[in-house]
Structure formats: structure tokens, C-alpha cells
Amino acid sequence: MNDSSNITASTALLTDMYELTMLQAALRDGSAHRQVTCEVFSRRLPNERRYGVVAGTPRVIAAIQNFRFTEQQLAHLDLLDDETKDYLRNYRFSGQVDGYREGELYFPNSPLLTVRGTFAECIVLETVILSIMNADSAVASAAARMVTAADGRPILEMGARRTHEYGAVTAARAAYLAGFVATSNLEAGFRYDIPVSGTAAHAWTLAHVNEDGSANEKAAFATQIDVLGAGTTLLVDTYDITQGVINAVGIAGKKLGGVRIDSGDLGAVTRRVRKQLDDLGNNETKIVVSSDLDEFAIAGLRGDPVDVYGVGTSVVTGSGAPTAGLVYKVVEVDGHPVAKRSSSKESIGGAKQALRTYRSTGVAVEEVVFPYTDTTAPDVGGLETQQLTIPLMRDGQAVDDIPDLDASRAHLAAAIGTLPWEGLALSRGEPAVPTRAVGLLPPHQS
């Protein structure tokens, strides 16, 4: 897999204004040079889901490495004084980043990313880090639930026309990470080496009419098959589905690869179409369905003869949770734990690492969060453990062994297999795995 996550353009202005006004003030009073630790975490899971999926980590590392201000950008920043511009002109992140690998599961208060360095160099990264991780993790978390609901049947990502043009590319990547098998987006296929899939839309069928203006669905199907072969998938619901199936089989014969249905009561329709195909001798022709599917609709079709799902809007929008709800907070200053005490927005001070415990059967039991400086793991009563916090950057440079997209995809599939049964439920509920802090001060004491 050639995971081209590197961003070639400057990422420095993918930020909020107050990151730079804070920097200017910090340079004025000297706090810019204090050593801090910033942490990315979630206080709760969106929509009371049972787990989240970490996504976008390699993109974050690339964005940090490309956080460089050009002279043109600096000339645009009239709000800053010369001292601040000089600092930004020479800005290079030189700190350390640790965190969960991409494709790992997370829960409330999991320390997903830990950024260590001076206040100045860490604080300006807040917005770009959160914008990547919140979007990618939201899509991957939603997509993972859809993969579970599909119960082994493949899902195609086809949401490019329902979101920002470049958001569609990274959403396709996150969906593939979560287990989708292909994308309709050619830029995602090119950039991340993801398999691509697609045949024709309703516009193709509608464009074929007779001289009198009447529909000529057969002509559309015939040309598509001539160009793409009989193994293509024909969209049969532009007009009458029953007649569409007859036309498709009549032209392609028993070698017809598939029919796609994009409307109607999909459960009832697919049952009728399956019987019709079988009666025509097309037992191997697959049925592909789309039409505003999400994890709940997919689960509802589990007992119906659907071979492939196509998902668009709900995956690129995170299936109703367009952000993962991740935050980026200073948790340590000059070695001292600090924490927010705001009502419902508390944080736990101190730099942290985490491990997950498992029963001998491989089922996850709990997530244990403990001080980053501890060299000995907490006592977990003889349970098996997995270290979750790994090095990602050292002295401003990415480590050599950051897992690629294929490895992360396999890791996520295995991680979901460790969840207790209730953790796979699509309904709202408690996190599948509880998080326990050991050796850390609660917010009101830090």
C-alpha cells in the first residue's frame, strides 16, 4: 500500500486566529518557552456510541512536518508584530509526539495523542491536529459500525458528492481504514491506493431515448456492457425495476455481474429481484443496493438477499456525528499537572500513557491510563495487556515504523474482534470498555 498521506503544501494557516494571538502574547511574557504537554482526548463518545476509532494519525504527523510559514503567508498576517512573524518564519516543530496508532479503538478519556515541547510550538498545532483527527475519526467510527452491521458483506464508499471535495478524499480513506472495500473517488484511489469502483448513474440511462423521445433502457445497457463487459453492474431502477432486470439479463445473459437498486423499499425489492434473477437462471448475479444507507438501514437488511452495499451521505458525515468530539488541552506545564475544572468540561492533569487489558479469551476488559513517566505498568491482576501509547515523532521527525494504511486496517478489524458482545450493539449505551486512571490526580486536585 502506497499511503501517500504526506501533505506537500504548507499547513500553517489551517489554524484559528487565536492560536497566533496567544503565541504573540506568550512571546511577550516569556511563557512561550515553557515546556508543556498537550493531549488529545474525548470526554464522551458521540451519540452515546460504544467505541470510537482513531483515524488520521499519519495525516497529523505529515501536517506537523509541513507546518511551515511562507513569506506570502506572513505578509498576510498583519495582526502580528515583527517578533511573532520572525518566530513563525523559523518555526519547526522540534518536540515529541506519542499516541494511539491509527486503527486503534478509543473510549472516553483515552489519551489519543500527546504532544510535548514548548508552549509556543505546541499551541499553534491545536487546530490542524483536531481538524484532521475529529473528521477522520468520526468517519472511521461510523464506517466501522456499518461494517459490523453488514456482517461480512462488502460496502462501497460513494459519498464524494455529499461533502467538501477534499473532505471526500480523506473520508474515503477513513472508510477504507474501517473496512469498506472500495471507493468511487478517483482522487482517493490515486492518493491512497484504495480500490475504486463504479459503473453508471441514472443519467446514463436517461440519456438514451428513441427518436420519438421514449426511453431506451436497452440501448444504455447494451453500450455499457459493450464497453465494460457482461460482468458490469447495471442500474435497473431508473424506470420499472422488473422490466429493468428483464432488459439487463436479456442483454448480458447469465454472465451479468450485478444489478444495482437505488430506491424503494430495499428489503422487499431485493427479495423480488433475487427471485426474478434466479428464475431467469442468473443465480450468480449480485444485488447491489444504495439509497441513503446507514448502519441501522444496513442492519435492517441483514436478512435480505443483498450482496453489496453502497454508502454515501451517512459515511462522509460520520453517520450523524460529523465530529468525534476530540479536544486538545494543556495537561502539564514545566512538569506540573494542570487541568480544566469547568463544569462538564473537566480534564485530568499530567502527561499520560495507556494500556488495555484482556481476558485469556482475548476479550477486552478495561483501559488503564497512568503517568507517562512511569516505567512500570500498573498491577492489572494477571490480565494480558497491550501497550496503546507508542512513539510517533521524536525531535520533530516522524518515527520510521508508523503503520501504513493496510496495517492499520488489519489492526482495526482485529481490535473490533476483542470487544465484548454488547460493545458491538448499534443502540446507545455505555462505552464497551471502561477507562480507569491510576496514579493521576483528579481535576480538582491537580
Side-chain angles (χ1 to χ4, degrees), residues 167-178:
V169 178
T170 55
R173 182 188 182 279
Y176 184 71
L177 165 72

Side-chain angles (χ1 to χ4, degrees), residues 164-204:
H164 184 277
E165 64 269 32
Y166 289 105
V169 178
T170 55
R173 182 188 182 279
Y176 184 71
L177 165 72
F180 280 41
V181 301
T183 178
S184 65
N185 191 294
L186 291 179
E187 179 65 23
F190 171 74
R191 189 180 299 189
Y192 300 118
D193 199 22
I194 299 170
V196 293
S197 176
T199 53
H202 290 292
W204 171 250

Side-chain angles (χ1 to χ4, degrees), residues 22 49 70 122 152 204 235 266 279 282 313 367 381 408-409:
M22 281 192 292
R49 291 177 176 173
T70 67
C122 293
W204 171 250
L235 184 59
L266 295 178
D279 289 345
N282 281 57
T313 304
E367 201 141 308
S408 297
R409 191 170 187 260

